[in-house]
Amino acid sequence: MLTVFLAALLVVCTSGHYHDYDWKVMNKTFPEELKNEENEPCDNAKIYSYHIHVLFWQNNEERVISAETLRKNFIENFKEKFNQEKINCTISAGDPARMCSFEVDKDPAGPFTTAQFSFFIPPKDLQETSMWMLQNKGDHDVFIHPNSGCETHDHTKWNTFSGAKWPIDDSVLKCNYPGCNPSVIES
């Protein structure tokens, strides 16, 4: 039992950037027979959702405080679009058509080379939320990308930055076919 738990923990910790919540959303609409790397190339993959990331300098106290304030203000501004029972994204967060917030990474994590926080954004809310974030980001840098299952394309080809363009460590991105589930990818 402990071996299974440790193996699962290793997969989760090394699986790149997708979260279980993203997989839950893709899993609801992606046909089971297409959920493998031998099917459909990423070139025209369906986009299921988006992430808006705010990147900030973790060693600058002023920037950390400012980022925390921006996160709080975003949640407050769009509170009606969040799942009211669980603002944080978890597998049990409920309705994947609602926005949610991932935990703040106060150190580099996944493909990000600095501290960051992010929000899960359903396609219907992308324009309004990204416009607000771009107009209110202050000195912070914003990275927006789709979630299709094709992590490398999502983070390197189909992304957009506002502010400084930070390097993305794509070596940690393991899901590279439509509907890919990071928890079943070997590291």
Side-chain angles (χ1 to χ4, degrees), residues 44-170:
N44 295 305
K46 178 179 178 173
I47 294 173
Y48 295 93
S49 63
Y50 294 85
H51 286 171
I52 294 177
H53 296 265
V54 173
L55 292 81
F56 59 95
W57 300 341
Q58 70 269 16
N59 296 325
N60 180 314
E61 186 177 347
E62 186 178 307
R63 292 284 179 105
V64 171
I65 292 168
S66 176
E68 290 170 349
T69 300
L70 178 60
R71 184 175 185 268
K72 183 178 128 263
N73 290 345
F74 183 91
I75 292 170
E76 179 62 30
N77 192 72
F78 294 105
K79 63 184 171 192
E80 76 284 352
K81 294 182 180 288
F82 279 85
N83 181 332
Q84 296 305 305
E85 293 152 20
K86 288 192 172 266
I87 297 296
N88 291 329
C89 299
T90 63
I91 235 2
S92 63
D95 187 358
R98 311 259 325 152
M99 291 171 24
C100 59
S101 176
F102 294 105
E103 295 297 319
V104 176
D105 289 324
K106 294 193 176 185
D107 291 304
F112 299 101
T113 55
T114 190
Q116 62 89 31
F117 62 83
S118 61
F119 299 100
F120 171 90
I121 309 292
K124 67 182 175 49
D125 296 319
L126 179 65
Q127 182 174 350
E128 181 182 8
T129 56
S130 60
M131 184 172 59
W132 186 95
M133 185 61 77
L134 297 178
Q135 292 174 335
N136 292 277
K137 70 182 188 68
D139 290 332
H140 301 292
D141 305 307
V142 175
F143 177 73
I144 301 171
H145 70 84
N147 297 308
S148 67
C150 302
E151 278 188 313
T152 301
H153 279 39
D154 291 346
H155 289 83
T156 63
K157 284 181 137 183
W158 301 332
N159 66 29
T160 189
F161 275 95
S162 176
K165 183 175 181 179
W166 289 78
I168 297 296
D169 179 6
D170 64 356

Side-chain angles (χ1 to χ4, degrees), residues 3-16 182-183 185-187:
T3 303
V4 172
F5 172 76
L6 292 175
L9 181 62
L10 178 63
V11 168
V12 169
C13 290
T14 61
S15 65
S183 67
I185 300 295
E186 293 180 25
S187 297

Side-chain angles (χ1 to χ4, degrees), residues 171-187:
S171 70
V172 302
L173 303 175
K174 305 298 181 197
C175 272
N176 288 304
Y177 55 89
C180 176
N181 178 351
S183 67
V184 299
I185 300 295
E186 293 180 25
S187 297

